[in-house]
Amino acid sequence: MSHHTEKRLEQYREKRDLSRSSEPEGGAAKGSDSPVFVIQKHDASNLHYDFRLAVDGVLKSWAVPKGPSTDPREKRLAIATEDHPLDYAAFEGVIPEGEYGGGTVLIWDRGTYENITRKEDGLQPMQQALAQGHALIWLDGEKISGGYALQRIDDDEDQWLLIKMDDDEADARRNPVSTEPASVATGRDLDEIEEDEGG
Ligand code: MN
């Protein structure tokens, strides 16, 4: 792992006691042509969905209280959180009570994504698009697919909106957050993960 990536994961490691939690330390990344995305349902003090995109060696992360919508009219609040290591995308299990983020984590959706953020002069690099507070991505997941916009609300804040773009994958009648609760990795629900791996 590069020094640059190490530096960016400092905050992730500072918040956690990784000798007590089974969350990954952040090891070497496996190579892939398309960058990955993952949405982890996290039953912490407040239930939320952690939306993560692999960008430049880390997982850029947002906590989405209501989870993603497939309805373009539903703008979902997404609060930017610290970068996570790439191997966090494979984490499903229980973070011990009393530890940072204590609670159960379920891999709700995952897949690859494509950056489709365009400027007049062509494709804008993802890193740059996020720094400027506006990115468009095409998700290819098991539950969620098609275009999504990530739009920062205020330059000085961590608050963003996650909005489904109005394309063929948009569907106002679907509500996968409530109708498809199980893990795409193991088929388990939150209770089953807690029974299997808790305490
Ligand atoms: Mn979380």
Side-chain angles (χ1 to χ4, degrees):
M1 181 176 287
S2 72
H3 176 70
H4 177 64
T5 304
E6 286 290 338
K7 194 95 189 130
R8 293 172 69 187
L9 292 174
E10 261 171 22
Q11 201 188 358
Y12 172 86
R13 294 204 181 95
E14 275 167 16
K15 285 176 182 274
R16 292 169 173 75
D17 181 352
L18 293 169
S19 65
R20 289 183 44 81
S21 176
S22 57
E23 295 166 287
E25 272 176 54
K30 47 177 188 275
S32 167
D33 288 344
S34 301
V36 301
F37 84 92
V38 66
I39 302 172
Q40 284 156 317
K41 186 175 183 178
H42 186 185
D43 189 13
S45 45
N46 292 300
L47 180 77
H48 59 273
Y49 292 76
D50 288 301
F51 181 66
R52 310 187 198 279
L53 299 172
V55 180
D56 199 25
V58 294
L59 292 174
K60 302 302 291 183
S61 299
W62 293 261
V64 183
K66 290 184 172 177
S69 177
T70 53
D71 181 350
R73 293 168 305 181
E74 284 276 327
K75 298 179 166 80
R76 293 287 159 92
L77 180 66
I79 300 148
T81 58
E82 78 275 19
D83 295 345
H84 278 51
L86 290 177
D87 52 3
Y88 204 93
F91 177 71
E92 179 170 278
V94 176
I95 302 169
E97 286 306 319
E99 297 301 311
Y100 179 73
T104 306
V105 176
L106 173 155
I107 299 176
W108 186 77
D109 200 11
R110 65 180 172 188
T112 56
Y113 80 93
E114 190 186 339
N115 170 26
I116 54 170
T117 317
R118 295 199 167 273
K119 285 259 161 167
E120 308 82 61
D121 51 345
L123 202 65
Q124 187 179 34
M126 194 61 186
Q127 184 93 275
Q128 212 180 80
L130 290 175
Q132 293 182 7
H134 178 74
L136 298 179
I137 50 179
W138 185 274
L139 302 178
D140 185 13
E142 294 181 37
K143 294 173 184 168
I144 293 292
S145 54
Y148 277 83
L150 271 165
Q151 177 69 52
R152 192 162 54 205
I153 296 172
D154 185 314
D155 284 351
D156 302 325
E157 299 291 334
D158 294 331
Q159 298 194 356
W160 296 62
L161 294 172
L162 177 65
I163 309 160
K164 180 75 196 78
M165 290 165 70
D166 198 358
D167 54 32
D168 286 351
E169 304 294 335
D171 188 346
R173 291 160 306 179
R174 270 187 81 202
N175 186 8
V177 161
S178 60
T179 60
E180 300 172 54
S183 165
V184 294
T186 61
R188 297 179 295 177
D189 63 20
L190 284 170
D191 288 344
E192 288 168 322
I193 294 169
E194 201 183 336
E195 275 165 36
D196 291 349
E197 301 181 27

